[in-house]
Amino acid sequence: MQSFAPKGRLEDERMLTGRGRYVSDWNLPGQACASFVRADRPHAEIVSIDASAAVALPGVLGVLTGADVAAAGLQSLPSALPVKGRGGAELLKPPRPALAQKKVRFVGEPVAIVVAESASLAQDAAELVAVSYRDLPAVADAREALQAGAPQLFEGVPANCPFDFEVGDEARTREAFAAAARTVRIVLDNTRLVGNPMEPRACVASHDAGKDEYTLYACTQGVNILRGQTAGVLGVPPERVRIGAEEVGGGFGVRFNTYPEYCASLLAAKRFGRPVKWVGTRSEVFLADEQGRDVVQRCEAAFDASGRLLGLRFDFTANLGAYLCPTGPFVNTVAVVNCLSGVYDVQAVHARIRLAVTNTAPMAAYRGAGRPIMSYALERLMDQAAHELKLDPADLRRKNFIAKTKFPYKIVNGPVYDCGDFGGCLDQALAAADWRGFEARRAESARRGKLRGRGLSTYIEATGAGFLPADQVEIRFGAGGEVTLWGTSHNHGQGHETTYAQIVSAVLGIPMERFRLKTGDPATILAGNPTGGSRSLLGVGGVLHVAAKEAAEKGKALAAEELEAAVADIEFADGTYRIKGTDRSLSFDALSRKFHRKLDVRFETKFGATYPNGCHVAEVEIEPETGAAEIVSYVACDDAGNIINHQIVEGQMQGGVTQGAGQAFGELAVYDRETGQLLTGSFMDYAMPRAVLVNGFRLLHHPVPTATNPLGAKGVGEAGVSGSLPALMNAVLDALRRAGVTHFDMPASPARLWQAIKAAESGNARALALPQN
Ligand code: MCN
């Protein structure tokens, strides 16, 4: 496909000159402001709420609590899972009210909404709301929550386990392990993270009493899921909820679902007859945004004597927090096992995943949404196996890859990989990383007193499925030659404005500068998926590509008239209609200006899953005296199929790898075992990654175009995380092994690395890892 890649991104000028309108920039006439009273303890009965002092403050419109939510008939926030668990059991769905009713279950849970003339007044008034509690014992750790005698969060969720999930072939896996020459086992802590988009959550909620219609401007990854979920909570048909959004300052998965604060703000707008604006703080991001990961992973592999993989077995415990988010159960089950056996040709595979509720913030998707759980398990296990079997980690992987000739390849639990060349990707990455020269570099680092380690990962992940059945787009042509693209997956950093324009421009020949993208305008409602699962390009971009061709086809008759020829004699290529065999032509651009709006198209279809994959090779250096670690080389060779915009793809890969590095080297959300308080509730205690963390970045491409969408593209938005997390931690452990450490869990912060090295010196080789039983 011909492509017109611009310099930079179309959206950059607007962003860089401060013309982006974020949710907190949005204001409605007559709006009031909200502040939330939040639980200050992890588990308690609410004895009473006294809002009289708050309400008495001049300028306070009122205070709503869980009782008001119940009286107004609001429904529980939703949660769903399209599969059954062990023994055919359904997901147990404990209710989650927009404001706490009877009990609070995590620190930060919204208990009351206070509405006042200004934000500061609302905050002052919130501090005057007196909530009296009767404390209950709390549990923050998922494994402890599942143990007998643990504090129980919900009557309807026995043993704190709302779902027990399994996939694969248990009997065949048991046989494979029984027949194995060697087995390898590790237990890993896939740590808890806070998403932390740049823009804290915010909303402007209003209610039109005449039409009984709600409007919500909110930080969102796409309006349709938010609209459906919010309408469900309000108990009205989706048509009565309008969702709007322009700029959204990052999503990372935690801006996908509706939130209690949005629903409570809409209720308050209706109750007080005024628009209500709420702008959250960074502290509220830490306490009450959906969080990510927090899975304990028991992983086992069985091999024959030559290192051929015979079977894989996984047993995971996932911490879902105090309530089930709409996507929490899905992300921690189905999304984890979409690539259950990774890039390996093995069918004797079984996985069990137990979900647990605990007194912590609810969990949902975080960049990778389940896939980094699986890639981390598999790729740490493969490096561990190479170490124990005394094989080269690259050779072990190559020996077990699904061969290029075996696609389409169905994995044991059903998903079908469309295409790939895992060996080719590996070879390209190894060559760029100078795999063979590593021992010399290790020796050179040692001369400088540094521990050098190398880690590999050959990941695969699923992109593209999407929750909703179709993606609808619209292309509108204006009189001045401007083109407006309409879609449903929201652009919150991924550069959609640029790449979508590129795709349509390539078909119709209209310069990209004349394109605009609209995704969050309540005036135009299209069916389709939000941004998630790295599917916007192949899902929405793919449909736009077809829609652009439809527009060209639609214009053929008009072009024939203009050129005074028969339609059958008109051909279209590179944005131009031509009478076959002549030099008489007319550009689509000229035609669309003349007949503006007549060539508009609305088109819908859906393109399905495809599997980006790649090989990442990391080298790290650790200073044993301080524990300071540095990534000294990073090579990522990825198969993203055809690439539409290299600059954006490289940005996405860098972002994903850096996000993996954040988890590997510093980020960690810690709840205190005794008090249930979030100990890492600010950037003073929670180590966000910085750009300097990732050095010597080299990005390579090994495209194997997919036939599952017309662009031949695979997703890239999350791939960097799936590849980097295991590669980096494999490199860290490889370095630590030189100091006698045998097991180590994230994060590889200086303090933890130093402690692990010191503990190994005293004979404890696995002091900073979970017990391996
Ligand atoms: N692209 C391309 N060629 C390809 C694949 C993609 O040119 N073969 C381009 C696309 O056109 C798009 C970008 O790369 O501009 C990412 O595309 P895609 O892989 O389809 O992913 P999405 O756009 O659906 O983004 C979702 C993904 C997810 S799920 C999370 S989480 C995430 C991420 O993207 N959150 C982000 N990247 C983020 N980047 C920023 N800046 N902020 C976030 O919140």
Side-chain angles (χ1 to χ4, degrees), residues 128 286 308 378 508 659 677 726 729:
L128 297 177
F286 275 103
R308 174 91 194 113
L378 270 165
L508 299 179
Q659 222 149 344
Q677 296 290 335
M729 287 309 295

Side-chain angles (χ1 to χ4, degrees), residues 375-395:
S375 72
Y376 191 63
L378 270 165
E379 295 305 304
R380 290 265 339 240
L381 187 59
M382 288 305 272
D383 255 35
Q384 183 69 24
H387 175 72
E388 292 186 23
L389 273 51
K390 298 192 172 36
L391 293 170
D392 177 286
D395 290 346

Side-chain angles (χ1 to χ4, degrees), residues 181-182 303-310 389 391 395-396 399-400:
R182 294 290 302 269
F303 294 91
D304 71 10
S306 72
R308 174 91 194 113
L309 196 50
L310 300 177
L389 273 51
L391 293 170
D395 290 346
L396 178 65
K399 189 188 276 280
N400 288 293

Side-chain angles (χ1 to χ4, degrees), residues 251-252 367 494 496 499 536-537 640 642 645 652 714 716-718:
F252 306 118
R367 201 169 188 172
Q494 292 89 349
H496 296 163
T499 41
S536 300
L537 175 67
N642 287 333
N645 185 309
Q652 286 292 308
K714 303 174 182 176
V716 298
E718 296 156 289

Side-chain angles (χ1 to χ4, degrees), residues 196-518:
N196 270 315
M198 272 192 292
E199 183 188 16
R201 244 174 336 119
C203 71
V204 184
S206 63
H207 177 251
D208 180 331
K211 297 186 192 153
D212 193 18
E213 207 173 80
Y214 297 87
T215 302
L216 180 73
Y217 282 88
C219 307
T220 179
Q221 294 179 208
V223 298
N224 283 338
I225 294 266
L226 181 57
R227 188 164 78 114
Q229 292 177 355
T230 308
V233 176
L234 295 169
V236 299
E239 304 76 66
R240 297 239 303 275
V241 179
R242 294 150 44 92
I243 305 279
E246 290 189 4
E247 312 299 356
V248 168
F252 306 118
V254 299
R255 300 286 182 260
F256 195 88
N257 294 318
T258 195
Y259 273 93
E261 291 87 349
Y262 299 160
C263 302
S265 298
L266 287 165
L267 175 65
K270 181 176 184 178
R271 176 66 65 86
F272 300 119
R274 304 255 301 263
V276 170
K277 179 171 180 174
W278 168 66
V279 180
T281 61
R282 183 59 56 184
S283 299
E284 287 174 301
V285 168
F286 275 103
L287 288 174
D289 269 16
E290 292 165 352
Q291 299 186 358
R293 319 256 199 268
D294 201 354
V295 182
V296 172
Q297 310 189 267
R298 287 180 195 78
C299 321
E300 290 173 282
F303 294 91
D304 71 10
S306 72
R308 174 91 194 113
L309 196 50
L310 300 177
L312 289 164
R313 192 154 56 194
F314 304 101
D315 187 351
F316 299 165
T317 306
N319 190 337
L320 285 220
Y323 296 96
L324 304 183
C325 290
T327 49
F330 181 87
V331 161
N332 280 286
T333 54
V334 180
V336 173
V337 299
N338 269 332
C339 299
L340 177 62
S341 41
V343 289
Y344 306 112
D345 191 357
V346 55
Q347 292 287 319
V349 191
H350 181 254
R352 181 176 181 188
I353 308 178
R354 268 165 283 201
L355 307 185
V357 287
T358 65
N359 298 108
T360 60
M363 307 290 274
Y366 176 65
R367 201 169 188 172
R371 287 102 85 200
I373 309 277
M374 202 65 239
S375 72
Y376 191 63
L378 270 165
E379 295 305 304
R380 290 265 339 240
L381 187 59
M382 288 305 272
D383 255 35
Q384 183 69 24
H387 175 72
E388 292 186 23
L389 273 51
K390 298 192 172 36
L391 293 170
D392 177 286
D395 290 346
L396 178 65
R397 284 171 168 91
R398 194 181 283 106
K399 189 188 276 280
N400 288 293
F401 280 157
I402 298 161
K404 230 171 34 171
T405 49
K406 279 200 163 180
F407 294 102
Y409 180 91
K410 186 173 182 182
I411 63 171
V412 65
N413 52 321
V416 180
Y417 298 164
D418 48 342
C419 59
D421 174 15
F422 308 141
C425 243
L426 177 78
D427 290 341
Q428 203 175 327
L430 295 188
D434 183 22
W435 183 257
R436 294 220 177 103
F438 175 70
E439 286 309 329
R441 293 192 292 281
R442 169 122 81 188
E444 192 276 326
S445 298
R447 281 196 289 281
R448 287 184 283 110
K450 303 265 179 89
L451 303 167
R452 192 176 187 119
R454 176 179 66 177
L456 184 65
S457 82
T458 46
Y459 75 94
I460 184 164
E461 62 157 34
T463 60
F467 285 108
L468 302 173
D471 292 295
Q472 219 170 36
V473 302
E474 219 174 275
I475 308 178
R476 293 185 197 164
F477 302 95
E482 72 278 9
V483 185
T484 312
L485 306 179
W486 294 77
T488 61
S489 78
H490 201 87
N491 180 18
H492 46 273
Q494 292 89 349
H496 296 163
E497 208 162 321
T498 305
T499 41
Y500 292 173
Q502 240 178 292
I503 290 165
V504 178
S505 161
V507 177
L508 299 179
I510 298 174
M512 286 184 59
E513 298 69 43
R514 286 202 247 129
F515 283 73
R516 284 184 308 157
L517 173 64
K518 294 253 186 190

